[in-house]
Amino acid sequence: MNKQNKAGRNDLDPMANLSPRKAAKRKQILTAARSLFLTRGYAGTSMDLVTLEAGISKQTLYRYYATKEALFSDLLSQVIHELTEEKQPSLASLPLPENREQLFDILLMMAQVIAIKLSDPLYLSILRMVFAESVRFPELGELLLESFPKSTGILTDLLKKCKETGLVKLEDGDVEMSMRMFIGPMIGHAFFVGLLGGASAPEPMPEEDLKRLCRIYAESVT
């Protein structure tokens, strides 16, 4: 049996052991849940509404998702998957850089992936909902962090490996903070231009700014 976290969600890929019929049913539920969450918000979406929107019974819904929190968490994971793994090149398979120039090239690829994701209207809609309702439902912020793009984990692994080879000069406890310093400017751009600016589809951080960020970062860690 797959282990579950505190949200009641499987730690492993929920699609991994599903038959085609069950996978289609799960997709049907998530499609209905996405529509409701984005239009009515987290508080305004109930499990009863999800059953009506999806055209299924309560027993079927609870067979897949024990709680609304688990359903929303899985929806977040699906959105992240759509905006990164399905539409962007794989970053995990990139070769280990041997010098600062190669590190810059890999950082730029990562920055482009993250910047595009952060400016996607669907992702911004999710962020708006989480920010609007996180005071009443603080677990939403935790779920968002748990489902954050894999790009951050890939960057952390990259820094650790480059530290082992001697290319990156970071203290043992500084890798995580260094990763946050890298993605921080892109999150700030999305926040001010996308969320506070009210744009439904804001432009990602300009390419020249991404290059400048990656150059400064590569020089600071090597």
Side-chain angles (χ1 to χ4, degrees), residues 48 56 71:
D48 286 342
I56 59 175
L71 174 58

Side-chain angles (χ1 to χ4, degrees), residues 100 103-104 107 212-222:
R100 180 182 291 173
L103 177 61
F104 168 84
L107 289 172
R212 188 175 296 108
L213 168 64
C214 294
R215 175 180 56 78
I216 294 173
Y217 184 81
E219 290 176 355
S220 70
V221 299
T222 56

Side-chain angles (χ1 to χ4, degrees), residues 13-191:
D13 182 359
M15 292 291 288
N17 300 315
L18 293 182
S19 66
R21 177 178 174 276
K22 290 183 177 180
K25 184 65 66 175
R26 173 178 171 270
K27 182 177 181 181
Q28 179 182 346
I29 294 171
L30 287 173
T31 299
R34 176 186 296 200
S35 174
L36 289 170
F37 280 127
L38 292 180
T39 56
R40 301 176 66 94
Y42 185 81
T45 298
S46 66
M47 295 293 267
D48 286 342
L49 284 175
V50 174
T51 62
L52 291 174
E53 183 74 15
I56 59 175
S57 67
K58 290 183 180 179
Q59 290 80 2
T60 298
L61 176 59
Y62 284 105
R63 191 179 304 132
Y64 287 84
Y65 300 101
T67 65
K68 183 171 72 169
E69 182 184 5
L71 174 58
F72 184 73
S73 178
D74 202 18
L75 176 60
L76 279 178
S77 297
Q78 182 197 55
V79 170
I80 296 302
H81 179 74
E82 290 179 6
L83 299 180
T84 55
E85 295 180 4
E86 293 182 353
K87 296 183 180 180
Q88 303 296 340
S90 174
L91 296 175
S93 61
L94 292 173
L96 195 64
E98 299 180 357
N99 51 52
R100 180 182 291 173
E101 289 72 24
Q102 292 179 2
L103 177 61
F104 168 84
D105 291 338
I106 292 177
L107 289 172
L108 182 58
M109 290 184 64
M110 289 185 174
Q112 290 168 337
V113 169
I114 296 171
I116 291 174
K117 189 270 315 170
L118 287 172
S119 64
D120 188 281
L122 173 58
Y123 189 69
L124 288 175
S125 295
I126 293 289
L127 286 181
R128 288 190 180 99
M129 178 174 59
V130 171
F131 288 165
E133 307 206 43
S134 60
V135 174
R136 288 183 296 168
F137 303 96
E139 67 272 15
L140 295 184
E142 296 178 8
L143 294 178
L144 181 63
L145 291 176
E146 289 178 7
S147 303
F148 206 69
K150 289 187 176 180
S151 305
T152 57
I154 294 172
L155 175 57
T156 300
D157 291 340
L158 174 67
L159 292 174
K160 290 179 179 178
K161 292 177 181 178
C162 289
K163 184 177 179 297
E164 293 175 357
T165 65
L167 176 61
V168 166
K169 316 295 184 184
L170 289 172
E171 298 295 330
D172 290 338
D174 292 344
V175 172
E176 186 74 17
M177 178 58 70
S178 179
M179 178 274 293
R180 295 178 185 178
M181 292 172 65
F182 179 72
I183 67 173
M186 289 176 279
I187 293 176
H189 176 84
F191 183 81

